[in-house]
Amino acid sequence: MSLKQHILQLFENSRGQALSGQQLADALGVSRASVWKAVKSLQSDGYQIVATTNKGYVLQPTNDILSEQSIRACLPNKYDGIDILALKTSPSTNAEAMTRLMQGQLKHGALIVADEQTNGRGRMGKSFFSPKKGIYMSVCLCKNIENMQDVMVITPAAAVAVRRAIADLTGIDAKIKWVNDIYICKKKVCGILTQADIDFESGKAGTFIVGIGINFVEQNFPDDIKDRACALFEGQPTVTRSQLIANIYDNLITFSDDLKDREFMAEYRTHSLVMGKEVCYAINCEEKKGRVTDIDDDGGLVIQEGDTVRKLTCGEISIRSSENEWI
């Protein structure tokens, strides 16, 4: 880690508090001139570091530049050993993770984040709008899972991790649209894409990449999604992206440590956007409609259509709202 990165970590650990040049110099065993140069470099990178006479330097609480240091400062100490890669831009954090996985460079718990994606992807090969100042994160879960039912709940676990983090940090009661989207006021604020590295000889899934994309601040959404998408914050955010990323990460790792414990599925059902609603879905290219009666502990959507009960384990659905509109 460079001197600049060391100083940034000290600032992030003391965000909002004054650190004198001498304090920083003594802590790192360098000269005050070296500290001054590093601080100037950080300021030129956009960090909101204010110099106060007779007090020192203060990293402003509202500073929201994603960095390894900003995320580590928000994580519990038990995650000190994880690998964190913070990128200014990436075609896709999931693609970045998969490339590093194939090269043997990823360990369990590795976290990759980017300020923007130039080729963000969602489920079914769809593009995912990923401009600057969003949250685009991928978490590597290296786990040998033999039970495919446990595999199926990784995405619901991620959805609960996101919803819980949003509620805890902002008080916003976001809802989950089966199986992988988070909504606020009938508009999508987050999408989740889980990809797996499967050994077809053994039938085991050994590594999972969980990608999470969140519209953090208001954006100029493209015409094709502007009526269906929203941001977590329309004005000044009340939390930083690093705080939200760290909270989501902690929730997801905790859930994934014991996927056989389906306690989080109760939370998934409680905050579901689809329970009791009429939905439209497709089976073998044939459009069907029915009412959702349950979401089971394996993440399956239970649908009643006349006398027929079906369980969906994958696919996409549209929901008819109380205002008789499709979401």
Side-chain angles (χ1 to χ4, degrees):
M1 191 183 295
S2 68
L3 174 61
K4 181 176 168 180
Q5 291 171 322
H6 277 295
I7 288 177
L8 177 57
Q9 190 66 73
L10 292 174
F11 277 134
E12 289 289 0
N13 291 343
S14 305
R15 183 181 283 249
Q17 302 175 33
L19 296 174
S20 71
Q22 193 61 57
Q23 278 180 290
L24 294 167
D26 291 344
L28 299 172
V30 298
S31 68
R32 289 186 62 177
S34 296
V35 168
W36 181 84
K37 287 176 65 177
V39 171
K40 285 297 182 183
S41 180
L42 288 168
Q43 289 172 328
S44 68
D45 289 342
Y47 286 91
Q48 299 171 15
I49 301 172
V50 177
T52 306
T53 305
N54 298 325
K55 290 186 178 180
Y57 303 106
V58 179
L59 177 63
Q60 297 301 292
T62 55
N63 184 82
D64 195 21
I65 296 178
L66 283 182
S67 68
E68 174 187 347
Q69 292 77 19
S70 67
I71 295 169
R72 286 197 188 280
C74 299
L75 284 168
N77 292 337
K78 62 183 178 180
Y79 298 120
D80 284 351
I82 68 165
D83 293 332
I84 300 176
L85 177 64
L87 304 169
K88 289 186 180 298
T89 185
S90 171
S92 159
T93 57
N94 264 30
E96 182 79 33
M98 280 295 181
T99 297
R100 291 173 178 267
L101 173 64
M102 298 302 292
Q103 295 171 347
Q105 298 178 5
L106 283 188
K107 297 185 296 185
H108 177 68
L111 171 63
I112 298 176
V113 302
D115 189 57
E116 69 169 338
Q117 294 182 132
T118 57
N119 191 30
R121 311 303 297 176
R123 294 177 73 239
M124 311 295 186
K126 296 179 179 179
S127 63
F128 188 88
F129 182 59
S130 313
K132 291 180 180 179
K133 299 191 179 302
I135 288 179
Y136 315 109
M137 58 184 287
S138 293
V139 181
C140 178
L141 304 176
C142 299
K143 305 172 72 67
N144 288 317
I145 302 177
E146 298 184 23
N147 185 345
M148 288 305 294
Q149 279 69 35
D150 291 341
V151 172
M152 297 302 293
V153 296
I154 291 177
T155 298
V160 174
V162 173
R163 197 223 69 86
R164 183 184 290 187
I166 289 174
D168 287 348
L169 293 179
T170 73
I172 296 172
D173 183 21
K175 299 297 183 183
I176 302 169
K177 180 185 176 186
W178 186 88
V179 59
N180 67 322
D181 293 331
I182 308 298
Y183 274 61
I184 296 174
C185 298
K186 301 177 187 175
K187 292 188 175 183
K188 181 176 174 178
V189 72
C190 168
I192 300 166
L193 176 64
T194 302
Q195 296 175 282
D197 174 37
I198 298 176
D199 184 338
F200 288 100
E201 290 187 7
S202 66
K204 296 180 182 179
T207 303
F208 302 86
I209 305 297
V210 181
I212 298 168
I214 301 175
N215 303 323
F216 189 71
V217 292
E218 190 68 18
Q219 302 282 356
N220 291 320
F221 293 109
D223 289 343
D224 61 330
I225 65 169
K226 67 180 182 181
D227 294 329
R228 297 181 287 113
C230 71
L232 189 58
F233 295 104
E234 294 184 357
Q236 178 64 40
T238 57
V239 299
T240 66
R241 287 178 293 168
S242 292
Q243 288 173 314
L244 189 57
I245 287 168
N247 198 307
I248 292 169
Y249 179 90
D250 187 23
N251 289 337
L252 178 57
I253 293 296
T254 300
F255 294 152
S256 67
D257 281 344
D258 185 9
L259 289 170
K260 295 186 185 304
D261 181 357
R262 298 289 206 275
E263 186 176 346
F264 60 84
M265 286 304 301
E267 191 169 339
Y268 188 94
R269 283 187 286 270
T270 297
H271 299 282
S272 170
L273 195 64
V274 306
M275 289 292 289
K277 299 289 179 62
E278 182 184 353
V279 297
C280 178
Y281 59 100
I283 294 181
N284 298 324
C285 299
E286 182 182 353
E287 186 176 284
K288 301 281 188 180
K289 290 181 181 179
R291 187 166 298 278
V292 176
T293 60
D294 197 9
I295 301 172
D296 67 22
D297 279 349
D298 295 330
L301 194 68
V302 181
I303 300 174
Q304 181 87 36
E305 183 183 350
D307 294 331
T308 302
V309 177
R310 304 180 191 272
K311 185 171 88 167
L312 297 184
T313 57
C314 62
E316 292 190 337
I317 62 171
S318 296
I319 311 163
R320 190 189 294 277
S321 73
S322 56
E323 288 78 20
N324 203 33
E325 60 184 354
W326 290 99
I327 301 172

